[in-house]
Amino acid sequence: MAAHPYAPSDLSIPGFIPGSWNFTTILAIFGTLTAFFVSATWLLVGRVKGLQKVERLSVCWWVATGLIHTLLEGPYVVRTDLFQRDHAHSDFPTEVWKEYAKGDSRYAVRDSCIVAIEGITAFLAGPGSLLAAYAIVTRRPYRHTVELMVSLGQLYGCIVYFGTEILDGFVHSLPGMLYFWFYFIFMNAIWVVVPFLIIIRTFLSLHKAVAQSDGRLKQQ
Amino acid sequence: MAAHPYAPSDLSIPGFIPGSWNFTTILAIFGTLTAFFVSATWLLVGRVKGLQKVERLSVCWWVATGLIHTLLEGPYVVRTDLFQRDHAHSDFPTEVWKEYAKGDSRYAVRDSCIVAIEGITAFLAGPGSLLAAYAIVTRRPYRHTVELMVSLGQLYGCIVYFGTEILDGFVHSLPGMLYFWFYFIFMNAIWVVVPFLIIIRTFLSLHKAVAQSDGRLKQQ
């Protein structure tokens, strides 16, 4: 039955064409691009005066996550024929998802819950992340709020993402370090840990601002 | 095949036992309880000095939605045998979900995406809603932030809820005004519209507080 490498083997993926790139190539490109954009952002943002180190780090995060959401997760949502594309029509995002689905085959069958979450991530959290980066650099009064909103959306998506797979009994991942632990657990855990830290930081910043604003009102 | 009233008829619900209460009874109880708690909250909160009308209304919303999340959606998440309960072990939440599933049968088969969203709603948004009510009444500096966070969570849940059903082609609802339009569309649209309005209000309040706080820093 299985004309595909994914789990479980009785999964039906009509017209599936396997990826043609090696996973080391895919990881090397992903790692290089991410490192380039994070370093470039770090250096560029260093020129902005009055920015704390935690804000400079946050801008790097927002640029990286914003680009991943729009340029990598965007194509997944839009291209419904991604897993049926032949090698002539393949490219980086196509190869990424054909490889990533070894850690979560729900991507290969376009599970509606996955597509809905990816849609929100690509088209709301993606632009929202880039807006957060802009807002921090230009010190807009909505900077903490946008950071909080996007982080909360990312965290909500991850809870549903992991929660549904726990309820399904972890049947959609190939076993082993690379597929289950690195692709499925680690690559998603990043979007639990970092958003959680940003939620705490922005919650405290907003708490302080409202406390000051309330105090000012009382004085009047 | 179908030993159940839900759509589609080839859906398998092993051990299903139908509800025993009439839908008018269920709606009357739901309407009466909601009206009672909203009115009681409205009157009680009226005694708090310095509260704007929009805050008084918001407290009513948070109490109502908090009670619905915890007392109605909580039992759905916890009781995995809800649709297999006989009449001797039936009660209000059980009857509500057996009736509501006519508008969305994914509840009857415990679709993992539905259970994950309901879990977040019952155990995070539920207590969060009651905390929002408390925070508004006591003017805590985190009141806008908690309102924003819970509302965003509710809105995210609704987008995934409607999004997945659009992707699935609206196959899980019985046709007609009551099941499709009232249960599935209207009863969920409330949790799109109200959270959206609260997000706008709290976003603007936080924007103003941060702008004041930033201005104060500049003056120093």
Side-chain angles (χ1 to χ4, degrees):
Chain A
M1 174 106 188
H4 60 73
Y6 308 121
S9 57
D10 61 353
L11 205 73
S12 167
I13 313 171
F16 171 72
I17 293 174
S20 50
W21 299 9
N22 194 286
F23 86 90
T24 46
T25 310
I26 296 171
L27 283 180
I29 295 175
F30 180 78
T32 308
L33 285 175
T34 308
F36 171 78
F37 281 109
V38 167
S39 313
T41 307
W42 176 260
L43 292 174
L44 275 172
V45 170
R47 296 175 161 208
V48 181
K49 278 175 191 163
L51 223 58
Q52 295 170 323
K53 194 158 270 181
V54 68
E55 291 176 309
R56 196 172 164 189
L57 265 176
S58 298
V59 175
C60 293
W61 163 255
W62 287 120
V63 168
T65 193
L67 292 177
I68 291 169
H69 290 338
T70 46
L71 302 182
L72 211 51
E73 293 172 271
Y76 172 76
V77 177
V78 173
R79 298 173 179 175
T80 53
D81 67 338
L82 201 108
F83 284 81
Q84 284 75 30
R85 290 197 168 205
D86 58 33
H87 301 171
H89 296 90
S90 195
D91 54 18
F92 182 63
T94 303
E95 294 291 332
V96 164
W97 293 113
K98 283 182 177 178
E99 179 63 22
Y100 178 77
K102 294 174 185 169
D104 188 348
S105 67
R106 296 178 294 177
Y107 279 80
V109 294
R110 299 193 75 78
D111 173 275
S112 59
C113 192
I114 294 290
V115 175
I117 292 173
E118 284 293 353
I120 295 171
T121 305
F123 296 105
L124 294 175
S129 298
L130 300 175
L131 179 63
Y134 167 82
I136 294 171
V137 170
T138 55
R139 288 194 77 74
R140 301 284 169 209
Y142 57 79
R143 62 193 183 282
H144 306 308
T145 317
V146 169
E147 283 196 87
L148 178 73
M149 290 173 77
V150 179
S151 298
L152 197 76
Q154 292 172 322
L155 188 60
Y156 193 113
C158 282
I159 297 175
V160 176
Y161 182 71
F162 282 128
T164 46
E165 189 58 7
I166 291 168
L167 289 165
D168 287 349
F170 295 107
V171 292
H172 300 106
S173 188
L174 292 174
M177 277 310 283
L178 183 64
Y179 303 132
F180 181 75
W181 288 105
F182 184 68
Y183 291 179
F184 179 65
I185 300 289
F186 177 75
M187 285 306 290
N188 290 290
I190 297 169
W191 277 267
V192 174
V193 175
V194 180
F196 190 76
L197 293 175
I198 294 178
I199 288 169
I200 293 173
R201 174 171 63 73
T202 51
F203 185 94
L204 293 175
S205 299
L206 290 169
H207 188 280
K208 199 173 156 190
V210 174
Q212 283 184 347
S213 168
D214 283 354
R216 191 145 133 165
L217 279 174
K218 255 182 216 158
Q219 286 166 16
Q220 286 169 353
Chain B
M1 174 104 187
H4 61 73
Y6 308 121
S9 57
D10 62 354
L11 205 71
S12 168
I13 314 172
F16 172 72
I17 294 174
S20 50
W21 298 9
N22 194 285
F23 86 91
T24 47
T25 311
I26 296 169
L27 283 180
I29 295 176
F30 181 77
T32 307
L33 284 174
T34 307
F36 170 78
F37 282 108
V38 168
S39 313
T41 307
W42 176 261
L43 292 174
L44 275 172
V45 170
R47 295 175 164 208
V48 180
K49 277 173 193 165
L51 224 58
Q52 294 171 323
K53 194 159 270 180
V54 68
E55 292 176 308
R56 196 173 165 188
L57 265 175
S58 297
V59 175
C60 292
W61 162 256
W62 287 119
V63 168
T65 192
L67 291 177
I68 290 168
H69 290 337
T70 46
L71 301 181
L72 213 52
E73 294 172 89
Y76 172 75
V77 177
V78 174
R79 296 174 180 173
T80 53
D81 67 337
L82 201 108
F83 285 80
Q84 285 74 29
R85 291 198 166 204
D86 58 34
H87 301 170
H89 297 90
S90 195
D91 54 18
F92 183 61
T94 302
E95 294 292 331
V96 164
W97 293 113
K98 283 181 176 177
E99 178 64 22
Y100 178 76
K102 293 174 186 170
D104 188 349
S105 67
R106 296 178 294 176
Y107 279 80
V109 294
R110 299 192 76 78
D111 173 276
S112 59
C113 192
I114 294 290
V115 175
I117 293 172
E118 284 293 354
I120 295 170
T121 306
F123 295 105
L124 295 175
S129 298
L130 300 175
L131 179 63
Y134 167 82
I136 295 170
V137 170
T138 55
R139 289 194 78 71
R140 299 283 170 211
Y142 57 80
R143 62 192 181 283
H144 306 308
T145 316
V146 169
E147 282 195 271
L148 177 73
M149 290 174 78
V150 180
S151 298
L152 196 77
Q154 292 172 321
L155 188 62
Y156 193 113
C158 282
I159 297 175
V160 175
Y161 183 71
F162 283 128
T164 45
E165 189 57 7
I166 291 169
L167 289 164
D168 287 348
F170 295 108
V171 292
H172 300 106
S173 188
L174 292 173
M177 277 309 282
L178 183 65
Y179 303 132
F180 181 76
W181 288 106
F182 184 67
Y183 291 179
F184 179 66
I185 299 290
F186 177 77
M187 284 307 288
N188 290 290
I190 297 170
W191 277 268
V192 173
V193 175
V194 181
F196 191 75
L197 294 174
I198 293 179
I199 288 169
I200 294 173
R201 173 171 64 73
T202 53
F203 185 95
L204 294 175
S205 301
L206 290 170
H207 189 279
K208 199 173 155 189
V210 175
Q212 283 183 347
S213 168
D214 283 353
R216 192 143 132 168
L217 279 176
K218 255 183 218 160
Q219 287 165 18
Q220 286 170 353

